[in-house]
Amino acid sequence: MPVGPEWPVTVLPNGGGKSWLGKGITDLLELDEATLPEKHARIVRATRSGEPDHDVEGARRAIEKWAYPRAWLDFETIAFAVPRWIGTRPYQQVPFQFSVHVEEADGAITHHEFLSLNGADPRRSCAEALMAAIPVDATVIAYNAPFEKGVLRELSALFPEMQDALLDMAHRTVDLLPVTRNHWYHRDQRGSWSIKAVLPTMTSLDYSDLEVKDGTGAQEAYLEAIRPDTSDERRTFLGDGLTKYCAQDTWAMVAMARFLSAAA
DNA sequence: CTTGAGATTTAACCCGTCAC
DNA sequence: GTGACGGGTTAAATCTCAAG
């Protein structure tokens, strides 16, 4: 049952890619289900009833198209307003960490990770680690894939010897976000399909016990870790938090995909 | 701040009608 | 023929959200 705030909601978040705000609608439950397009009606329905909207078959059909091996990938990046490394632009998303869970057709899963905390330009070692971790025939899966694709394209443009492989990786990247958005809604999401909002409605996985809880926290930890006056002990501690967080993000995608495909 | 997708809003345009 | 006024379609601009 609900783990969120009291119902009914009186403040409606933007939901379903649709803005109800700014139209004088302050209570989602006042909307007339019959007049809404199905895309919005299912959100109102799930909110009224507390019964999640779950199209298992639709989700299964979408996910089963992704050929094995599957590489569930997540980057952590840093973006400096004033570029820190030669050849980077202001606000360019530079990856200093990634996690990837590689899933074989038989269900076997191996985990690979990369983390740079020495303060040097992490891009070459990151690209090399990607090449080593992700099989050339893998379907790469990310949550809000345009972000991961963008990082991959940036890396590909930088290293001619890895250009084809990295570009190919970007082309093989698919997105779990629309699958979730189209086939699942729980009212505790309150209009959000971010991984942090969705995950607790499907599983008991939780970010609250982690040292690093979100992307912003990861960036803060990274910045502290690369400072010269940060002790080795502290750096190790920060790195440990980063590793756990990033690994949780990719594991969360695996868990979500399994949940989405599982019978109700 | 970035990018991309998708939804929404605004602007532009075409066409028929009607009064002058 | 011309100008004002719809109504309906379409294109372009704007907004939101996801990721970090």
Side-chain angles (χ1 to χ4, degrees):
Chain A
M1 272 328 266
V3 297
E6 293 293 312
W7 301 95
V9 287
T10 51
V11 177
L12 188 74
N14 292 341
K18 147 84 175 180
S19 170
W20 281 309
L21 292 175
K23 288 190 173 175
I25 298 165
T26 55
D27 191 337
L28 173 151
L29 299 181
E30 288 170 7
L31 295 166
D32 180 5
E33 230 178 272
T35 67
L36 294 170
E38 175 56 22
K39 207 168 193 176
H40 304 155
R42 69 188 188 95
I43 294 170
V44 173
R45 209 180 302 127
T47 302
R48 282 209 172 98
S49 68
E51 201 58 39
D53 177 86
H54 190 183
D55 172 17
V56 183
E57 276 310 302
R60 203 181 50 73
R61 279 195 300 271
I63 291 169
E64 72 186 4
K65 288 180 187 155
W66 298 340
Y68 293 94
R70 296 172 176 172
W72 306 83
L73 175 68
D74 181 47
F75 284 119
E76 300 305 318
T77 65
I78 191 72
F80 296 99
V82 179
R84 179 187 178 94
W85 300 295
I86 300 291
T88 58
R89 320 183 291 277
Y91 301 110
Q92 180 178 350
Q93 306 285 338
V94 180
F96 62 84
Q97 178 181 25
F98 72 76
S99 164
V100 58
H101 277 92
V102 177
E103 179 189 20
E104 303 294 338
D106 64 7
I109 290 181
T110 54
H111 183 243
H112 306 269
E113 62 196 13
F114 164 79
L115 177 60
S116 167
L117 290 182
N118 63 11
D121 185 343
R123 290 176 295 174
R124 175 171 286 282
S125 42
C126 180
E128 289 168 348
L130 282 168
M131 305 271 289
I134 298 181
V136 289
D137 57 343
T139 304
V140 181
I141 307 167
Y143 205 81
N144 191 27
F147 181 80
E148 268 68 23
K149 283 187 175 192
V151 171
L152 288 170
R153 274 200 305 269
E154 289 271 356
L155 291 175
S156 78
L158 191 61
F159 305 113
E161 71 278 20
M162 293 184 271
Q163 182 167 14
D164 292 348
L166 291 170
L167 207 52
D168 194 53
M169 227 177 257
H171 291 149
R172 297 198 312 270
T173 300
V174 298
D175 201 341
L176 180 60
L177 169 61
V179 178
T180 306
R181 178 172 274 156
N182 293 335
H183 304 296
W184 170 261
Y185 184 76
H186 186 292
R187 68 184 186 185
D188 287 349
Q189 291 170 222
R190 309 205 86 208
S192 169
W193 271 269
S194 75
I195 202 164
K196 273 75 178 174
V198 173
L199 188 63
T201 70
M202 295 184 179
T203 72
S204 55
L205 288 171
D206 195 352
Y207 284 82
S208 61
D209 293 335
L210 296 178
E211 282 298 323
V212 176
K213 302 179 198 303
D214 53 37
T216 309
Q219 295 174 331
E220 288 166 1
Y222 175 75
L223 289 174
E224 184 182 343
I226 64 173
R227 279 170 53 180
D229 58 345
T230 297
S231 70
D232 289 347
E233 187 185 28
R234 176 73 179 156
R235 186 172 297 112
T236 301
F237 174 78
L238 292 166
D240 187 55
L242 283 166
T243 298
K244 286 194 171 74
Y245 165 68
C246 199
Q248 165 124 327
D249 258 0
T250 51
W251 180 249
M253 284 194 283
V254 176
M256 288 168 65
R258 286 181 176 173
F259 181 92
L260 283 167
S261 305

